[in-house]
Amino acid sequence: MIARTSTALAAALAVLAQPLAAQGRQDTPRLEDLIPDAAVENPEDWAAQGVPADDEADAQAQQPLGPDAALDPMPLVTIPWPEDIDLPQLAPLEPDEDEIEFVQFEEQIPRITTGSEERISDELVLVFPNERSLFPQREEFITRFTSLSTIEDLEDDDNIARLAAQARADEELLTQLLQVYGYFDAQVIRTVGQVDDATDADLDRPAVRFDIVPGQRYTVGAIDLGNLESTGDQYPSLRRAYDIEVGDPISLDTIEEEQFDLDIALGESGYPFAEIDAPTLLVDHARTEGDIDMPVRPGGRYVLRNVVSSDSDFLSSRHLTRIARWDEGDIYRRSDEMDLRRAMLATGLLGSVELTPVVVEEPTATEPGVVDIEAELTQAPLRTLAGSIGFGTEEGIRLEGSWEHRNLFPPEGMLRVRGIAGTQEQLAGVTFRKNNFKGRDRILTVDAFASTIDYDAYDARTASLIGTYERVSTLLFQKAFSWSMGVELVASQESERDADGTDLQRETYFIAALPLYAQLDASDDLLDPTEGWRLSGRLSPEISDNEGVQSFYVRSQVDASFYQSVGENTVLAGRVRVASIPGAPLEAIAPSRRLYAGGGGSVRGYGYREIGPLNNTGDPLGGRSLVEVSAEARIGTGLMDGAISVVPFIDAGSVGLDPIPDFDTIKYGAGIGVRYDTGFGPLRLDVAFPLNPGPNDNWVAVYVALGQAF
């Protein structure tokens, strides 16, 4: 049959292999001639008849073959078929001693039977050895793991498949965290669905348990710090800055932290070009140690010379060198470089600053090299047009606007034009200010202005020229010690009011003063202190000429404030102010130079400068002595992520006619405020009530400002 089949296939291939041209012969049968008429008339009956047998051999070919049927002759096969072949029996293989065997678990996964259980949540439990010395970092480890756990991060949905997937991720996390603390042979045994001795059916929801076996903590082996020893006599201090020694327990956190500590130490010891590669740890399980390799290339040691400006016409090299905190020849310190950058940005003249140490002289075997600091400057917008509008219950409407150019007179020479239009005050003035004048953080200011003031106590038309030279705290640089000195020249026409409220005859005053100021600041923040204290004093000797009558007096004032945190969210704050004007009677002192109390920074609940001895119309006369006391509690809340706090407060104040306070009349105010932490400083809203108001005092006062009241 096989031979016949092969012959038929050969014939078919021979036909298919004929050239296409041969198919065009006239004797080639057409497809229609090969299809019987019976197949066309009734195809289903014709197909059921099968293939017709042309002869007996074909009929036999249609019969099924049995397993013992003989094969048809194959003329092309000349090799005889083998008969009666006996295959040898293969011997069984002996087991190989090196053969890998699969572990057969006959018991459940082992657990720490005497462990200490830490239940993180309803579906997450960690189990540690009872002996805490085996893993003393337990609390820190749990906090860290909880913040990263995927089981803790996702919602509880009682899904065992979800828990199993998360448990695998948390198992890897636990292993990584254990290695962070130096436990490189630790075991973490994961169990999903059963966390206690209870069965799964006893659990409220599926849970995950991790049994943690820390094992031995690895220690530090060898330490290679590259070329650090090339620093010579600086090496001992630099090596101490890298506070890891052979034999210390391994902590990957500490290795990273000490890299930064060494980098800081190099930057503060005169090495501006020092480079440190990322540390690597080679763990040796046989020694249970890890070797630290951290290549250090200190570079040379240098001292500082000058600052070189990229735009000397805008900010000169000489000016930038003056505001730097180093002197020529001082050893290079990275903190001095960063401080200079902050000071330059604080001028408000620069959008960005890039400082780069540049070698002037290379170091020798015995002497350090010399570097300049190149400053690449990008100017910021220099002109500002500003305006504001406000309303106070005691001050009425107030409109204020200004225009300024911050570098009209380089370097750092500002000119400002300003004006005020309000219910009680009108002003027009010009201010010239020179920052960093003759020294770092020193400011020269000349201010000329004319104003009219209409208070209940007095009416004044004033022209003033004031010059000050000062070193005071700013929002960027809070200073422990601030001071100012100045000269003040004032020409003022002022009048008080009679019992009918009519302005009395105006009197002209020419005043010259030498105001002095000093402050010690031990608080922790300029706008929102929580700890510490402040103590400041003002002293201003003044001479006044009133219609040819000259008077001499001294205006003095002392302020003290104290801040104390109580618990996590409350700050208690207190303030005392004492002022006095000895040397001249009240009538010889211009009303605008007398002492008053009241307002948002004084005794809240009363109008600005509306506390003091009263005339027969009930308006304050002003005085020659003043005492104020304030106390408040700044209580944080959880509102708006803790940005909101409430502040109950009480204030008291007294103004006397004599230089020594007599406390004949004490005004009290109390209220509550709200603070909103803007990140820049607290925005203050205070609502205060006068507890013993006078005839002209309103029943409530509202104050809005930036920063605390004191």
Side-chain angles (χ1 to χ4, degrees), residues 380-397:
L382 301 178
R383 298 171 179 83
T384 299
L385 183 64
S388 65
I389 182 171
F391 175 79
T393 56
E394 302 298 329
E395 298 179 6
I397 299 174

Side-chain angles (χ1 to χ4, degrees), residues 394-669:
E394 302 298 329
E395 298 179 6
I397 299 174
R398 178 185 175 93
L399 301 174
E400 185 170 359
S402 65
W403 173 90
E404 70 178 24
H405 189 301
R406 288 182 292 280
N407 203 37
L408 187 61
F409 307 99
E412 296 195 70
M414 182 209 73
L415 183 69
R416 176 188 294 151
V417 179
R418 60 193 177 100
I420 297 175
T423 306
Q424 295 184 343
E425 180 182 8
Q426 299 80 42
L427 180 145
V430 178
T431 302
F432 169 79
R433 186 179 67 201
K434 192 83 166 177
N435 288 329
N436 295 307
F437 181 72
K438 300 298 182 182
R440 168 74 175 267
D441 295 335
R442 299 183 181 185
I443 304 171
L444 175 66
T445 305
V446 178
D447 191 18
F449 63 89
S451 67
T452 61
I453 295 175
D454 184 13
Y455 294 150
D456 291 341
Y458 63 89
D459 175 87
R461 301 172 183 174
T462 304
S464 299
L465 178 64
I466 303 173
T468 59
Y469 186 53
E470 60 187 352
R471 181 182 183 273
V472 296
S473 290
T474 65
L475 295 177
L476 292 178
F477 292 99
Q478 183 177 358
K479 299 173 178 62
F481 178 66
S482 303
W483 53 265
S484 72
M485 61 181 68
V487 176
E488 187 175 1
L489 302 176
V490 179
S492 182
Q493 288 186 339
E494 303 182 11
S495 68
E496 300 179 75
R497 291 184 172 86
D498 61 14
D500 298 328
T502 304
D503 291 342
L504 300 177
Q505 182 179 358
R506 291 186 177 276
E507 298 187 25
T508 302
Y509 297 88
F510 297 97
I511 303 167
L514 298 174
L516 305 172
Y517 168 79
Q519 175 177 268
L520 297 175
D521 188 350
S523 65
D524 60 351
D525 190 87
L526 187 64
L527 293 179
D528 191 14
T530 60
E531 296 283 349
W533 52 270
R534 295 173 184 166
L535 179 64
S536 65
R538 300 177 185 273
L539 189 68
S540 179
E542 299 184 5
I543 184 170
S544 173
D545 184 285
N546 177 20
E547 306 297 340
V549 178
Q550 295 183 348
S551 302
F552 177 82
Y553 53 90
V554 177
R555 303 175 75 238
S556 60
Q557 179 176 308
V558 175
D559 290 88
S561 56
F562 180 76
Y563 313 94
Q564 179 63 57
S565 294
V566 179
E568 296 183 358
N569 300 320
T570 302
V571 176
L572 300 181
R575 176 185 66 90
V576 176
R577 173 178 295 168
V578 178
S580 178
I581 307 178
L586 185 68
E587 296 78 10
I589 302 172
S592 60
R593 314 297 287 185
R594 299 172 187 172
L595 297 174
Y596 301 87
S602 177
V603 181
R604 286 163 286 188
Y606 299 86
Y608 178 64
R609 289 189 167 192
E610 292 188 4
I611 294 178
L614 305 179
N615 58 22
N616 30 8
T617 65
D619 294 324
L621 290 169
R624 293 194 298 160
S625 64
L626 176 145
V627 175
E628 293 176 357
V629 178
S630 298
E632 63 184 31
R634 302 164 185 172
I635 305 171
T637 70
L639 299 176
M640 299 183 68
D641 295 329
I644 300 294
S645 58
V646 296
V647 183
F649 58 84
I650 184 169
D651 302 328
S654 174
V655 177
L657 295 173
D658 297 325
I660 299 176
D662 53 19
F663 302 104
D664 287 343
T665 302
I666 301 177
K667 293 291 187 178
Y668 298 95

Side-chain angles (χ1 to χ4, degrees), residues 295-424:
V296 180
R297 296 176 293 279
R301 194 166 189 244
Y302 293 86
V303 297
L304 290 160
R305 194 176 69 168
N306 299 321
V307 183
V308 180
S309 174
S310 65
D311 191 348
S312 293
D313 293 335
F314 185 71
L315 286 177
S316 67
S317 299
R318 179 183 178 185
H319 181 70
L320 295 180
T321 301
R322 179 185 294 127
I323 67 177
R325 291 194 186 277
W326 69 78
D327 296 323
E328 185 175 349
D330 287 352
I331 199 71
Y332 171 87
R333 294 197 309 166
R334 191 181 301 159
S335 59
D336 286 340
E337 180 183 332
M338 300 305 297
D339 175 79
L340 173 63
R341 184 178 185 275
R342 289 193 299 269
M344 293 171 65
L345 292 175
T347 64
L349 306 180
L350 301 173
S352 65
V353 177
E354 184 176 349
L355 302 179
T356 306
V358 177
V359 176
V360 178
E361 296 180 11
E362 293 287 352
T364 66
T366 58
E367 295 294 331
V370 179
V371 292
D372 282 341
I373 302 297
E374 285 191 354
E376 185 68 30
L377 312 180
T378 302
Q379 296 185 22
L382 301 178
R383 298 171 179 83
T384 299
L385 183 64
S388 65
I389 182 171
F391 175 79
T393 56
E394 302 298 329
E395 298 179 6
I397 299 174
R398 178 185 175 93
L399 301 174
E400 185 170 359
S402 65
W403 173 90
E404 70 178 24
H405 189 301
R406 288 182 292 280
N407 203 37
L408 187 61
F409 307 99
E412 296 195 70
M414 182 209 73
L415 183 69
R416 176 188 294 151
V417 179
R418 60 193 177 100
I420 297 175
T423 306
Q424 295 184 343

Side-chain angles (χ1 to χ4, degrees), residues 266-284:
L266 285 165
E268 293 298 294
S269 302
Y271 297 91
F273 308 109
E275 296 178 351
I276 302 178
D277 291 347
T280 59
L281 180 68
L282 179 61
V283 176
D284 189 330

